[in-house]
Amino acid sequence: MANTPHLSPKPRVLIVGGGYAGLTVARKLQKLVKDRGGVVTVVDPRPYMTYQPFLPEVVGGHIEARHAVVDLRTHLKHAEVVQGKVTRVSHENRTATVEGEDGAEFEIPYQDVVMTAGANTRTFPIEGLAEAGIGLKTIEEALALRNQILERIETAALMTDPAQRARALTFVLVGGGFAGVETIAEMEELIRTAISKNTRLAQSDARIVLVEAMGRIMPEVSAEQATEVVAHLESRGIEVLLNTSLSSAVDNELKLINMTDKSDAGTFFADTLVWTAGVAASGLARQTDFPVEERGRIEVTPTLQIADGAGGVLEGAWGCGDVCAVPDLTGDGPGGMCVPNAQHAGRQAKQLVANLLAVRFGEGAVEEYYHKSLGTVAGMGVGKGVGNPLGVQLKGIPAWLAHRGYHAMALPMLERKSRVVSGWIQELIWGVDTTQVKNLETPRNAFLEAAGGEPALGRFAKQAKQLTSK
């Protein structure tokens, strides 16, 4: 194991994960711990926090990709930021093993650890899915999906083979939860806008499909609202296939099955396959000596202290957010646990900070986390939305405004809020920007051509070459 990089020798609060919960904990603890002779250290593979509720709007082009992330070093001036991946946590030894950017491993000792490693995309063993699909958990995925949609439209406009054109202009999303509905709606708006600017294509050329294994979409809203959303999506030309699942995606040939009777539900080709069928707690949870429940989440108590597996808590061990099973004392959460969303993560982080200060420095009293959900709201393109904030059922413009208003407030840092809101204002004045950023997969091709080298092939160029060689 490599030598530990130069880090502060002071008593450390180690925050594993710089996502929404981790950033919130770090922001509120960094100066307080520093003033008390300690140091806060945040470890994350990425140097920024991604505000995931804005990823569909990045796809739609309403928000610039860099505005949906918060740079850790810029906003954690009183903390240490380590860009690396925590691979193991040994609370018995009070150390975390970190893999750096160069692949070398080193250990970071700590006094207190806060587990906020978040969640990953949940997938199933579907043949071909890993090669054909793309998720929507990172800013890189959102930006890549947006550019892929625009690239497929431009390329299809020059195609003469009807089958290849249909494949390029077929866009499929699997997963009808909040993220899936928001994303497919933003995709549809982007696709229609881009096609309207291309005289060689007609709107009828595009096929947009939403696949959901359950008998309804968006379990977070009422059944009536879910039915209305399906009707709304269908009115925009989106095919909504309920009780339907993806069984294969080999070579981008999508095979669907009916979940009711397991019969064939259709087969077709699609170059764009988006997967938003749920999330799973970070696999890091199982690489610790903390108790983990059946869904792979670290067990924590209502005070956000990690359980010891015997009815008590582990001293110096804390956790919140998607990687943890946090009891929902309101009784509303599925299985008695809080749902994994930003609304809970941010509030849990604040309560965790207060409780850690109470235990470590004797400041204040330890309290249990309790939060009654404020409801949910989804944006589905400019002027479109659905939700039930504070129990009030909204749709259309009121829901869209509630969606943007809430998330503008929830987005950390005033400068980020300013950039996002000013972008929204610019869009209302000038319209949606459908500029495609080309060659992100092969950024050196221009230089290679200038230097007389052989340009690299991107994904679709490779597919075309394979098809012509058959």
Side-chain angles (χ1 to χ4, degrees):
M1 186 170 295
N3 292 329
T4 302
H6 180 68
L7 295 171
S8 173
K10 297 178 180 179
R12 175 174 287 105
V13 177
L14 178 65
I15 301 174
V16 180
Y20 194 65
L23 174 63
T24 303
V25 171
R27 284 178 55 208
K28 294 188 173 298
L29 269 184
Q30 57 176 341
K31 189 69 165 59
L32 296 171
V33 170
K34 180 181 179 181
D35 290 345
R36 288 156 182 76
V39 63
V40 169
T41 302
V42 180
V43 182
D44 195 279
R46 294 182 175 87
Y48 49 79
M49 182 282 295
T50 301
Y51 190 66
Q52 294 180 0
F54 276 161
L55 293 181
E57 291 214 34
V58 171
V59 174
H62 311 301
I63 296 176
E64 287 290 333
R66 66 186 184 279
H67 295 167
V69 301
V70 177
D71 181 64
L72 298 179
R73 293 192 185 280
T74 299
H75 298 288
L76 297 178
K77 297 184 184 301
H78 300 285
E80 293 179 325
V81 176
V82 176
Q83 190 172 339
K85 178 182 179 181
V86 175
T87 57
R88 291 184 299 277
V89 175
S90 173
H91 192 62
E92 180 181 4
N93 297 315
R94 295 295 201 279
T95 60
T97 303
V98 180
E99 182 182 301
E101 289 290 284
D102 59 358
E105 287 192 338
F106 55 91
E107 290 185 346
I108 298 181
Y110 63 80
Q111 183 179 53
D112 292 275
V113 66
V114 181
M115 299 298 297
T116 55
N120 302 320
T121 300
R122 181 186 64 180
T123 60
F124 301 103
I126 298 172
E127 193 175 7
L129 175 61
E131 294 75 23
I134 186 171
L136 199 69
K137 285 289 290 179
T138 69
I139 198 69
E140 294 86 357
E141 288 175 319
L143 185 58
L145 174 58
R146 169 178 169 77
N147 283 316
Q148 176 169 319
I149 290 170
L150 295 172
E151 186 277 334
R152 287 290 80 192
I153 291 172
E154 286 298 319
T155 302
L158 299 176
M159 289 178 172
T160 56
D161 184 325
Q164 290 303 310
R165 174 183 276 213
R167 171 175 172 158
L169 293 176
T170 298
F171 306 90
V172 180
L173 183 143
V174 179
F178 249 64
V181 169
E182 286 188 315
T183 302
I184 197 77
E186 292 289 1
M187 288 171 60
E188 183 274 335
E189 195 167 86
L190 176 64
I191 292 164
R192 303 300 179 197
T193 302
I195 288 179
S196 71
K197 297 179 180 180
N198 195 313
T199 58
R200 293 186 297 274
L201 295 174
Q203 297 292 352
S204 59
D205 292 331
R207 182 184 184 189
I208 308 170
V209 184
L210 172 62
V211 178
E212 169 54 47
M214 304 298 290
R216 59 164 288 182
I217 62 172
M218 303 178 77
E220 300 90 343
V221 302
S222 69
E224 180 183 356
Q225 283 183 305
T227 301
E228 290 177 349
V229 171
V230 170
H232 169 77
L233 295 177
E234 291 178 337
S235 73
R236 293 167 62 173
I238 299 173
E239 299 175 39
V240 181
L241 307 180
L242 301 178
N243 293 308
T244 305
S245 181
L246 178 70
S247 63
S248 175
V250 176
D251 295 330
N252 287 84
E253 182 180 22
L254 309 190
K255 297 181 180 180
L256 306 179
I257 59 171
N258 186 302
M259 295 299 291
T260 303
D261 56 13
K262 303 302 179 181
S263 62
D264 178 23
T267 299
F268 55 89
F269 285 92
D271 281 340
T272 303
L273 171 62
V274 187
W275 183 271
T276 62
V279 297
S282 168
L284 174 61
R286 297 190 184 278
Q287 304 303 315
T288 70
D289 50 2
F290 300 131
V292 176
E293 46 90 83
E294 59 186 13
R295 294 185 60 183
R297 297 174 297 183
I298 297 171
E299 295 181 8
V300 301
T301 67
T303 59
L304 304 171
Q305 294 168 280
I306 295 179
D308 64 3
V313 298
L314 293 171
E315 192 275 332
W318 306 81
C320 67
D322 298 356
V323 75
C324 297
V326 181
D328 187 345
L329 299 184
T330 69
D332 294 336
M337 299 297 167
C338 295
V339 296
N341 60 23
Q343 184 179 147
H344 276 299
R347 289 171 172 81
Q348 289 168 8
K350 294 175 184 177
Q351 186 62 62
L352 187 155
V353 168
N355 288 349
L356 190 153
L357 291 173
V359 171
R360 179 57 62 194
F361 302 108
E363 301 175 11
V366 175
E367 297 183 6
E368 295 182 335
Y369 173 73
Y370 181 96
H371 171 65
K372 188 76 173 176
S373 174
L374 300 176
T376 52
V377 63
M380 297 189 291
V382 176
K384 311 174 190 75
V386 64
N388 50 19
L390 301 176
V392 180
Q393 294 194 3
L394 299 177
K395 62 181 179 180
I397 292 178
W400 174 69
L401 290 173
H403 170 264
R404 285 200 163 179
Y406 173 78
H407 286 297
M409 289 189 296
L411 177 67
M413 314 316 304
L414 180 60
E415 61 97 6
R416 292 287 111 173
K417 301 176 194 287
S418 174
R419 294 178 192 275
V420 168
V421 173
S422 63
W424 285 338
I425 294 172
Q426 292 292 324
E427 181 185 67
L428 291 175
I429 297 172
W430 304 111
V432 177
D433 186 349
T434 55
T435 304
Q436 174 201 351
V437 180
K438 291 176 63 63
N439 302 323
L440 289 179
E441 289 183 83
T442 55
R444 295 183 64 247
N445 273 359
F447 180 78
L448 286 171
E449 290 177 4
E454 185 70 25
L457 294 177
R459 172 190 169 193
F460 296 113
K462 290 178 184 176
Q463 287 181 353
K465 186 174 182 180
Q466 291 169 354
L467 288 171
T468 56
S469 64
K470 289 181 179 180

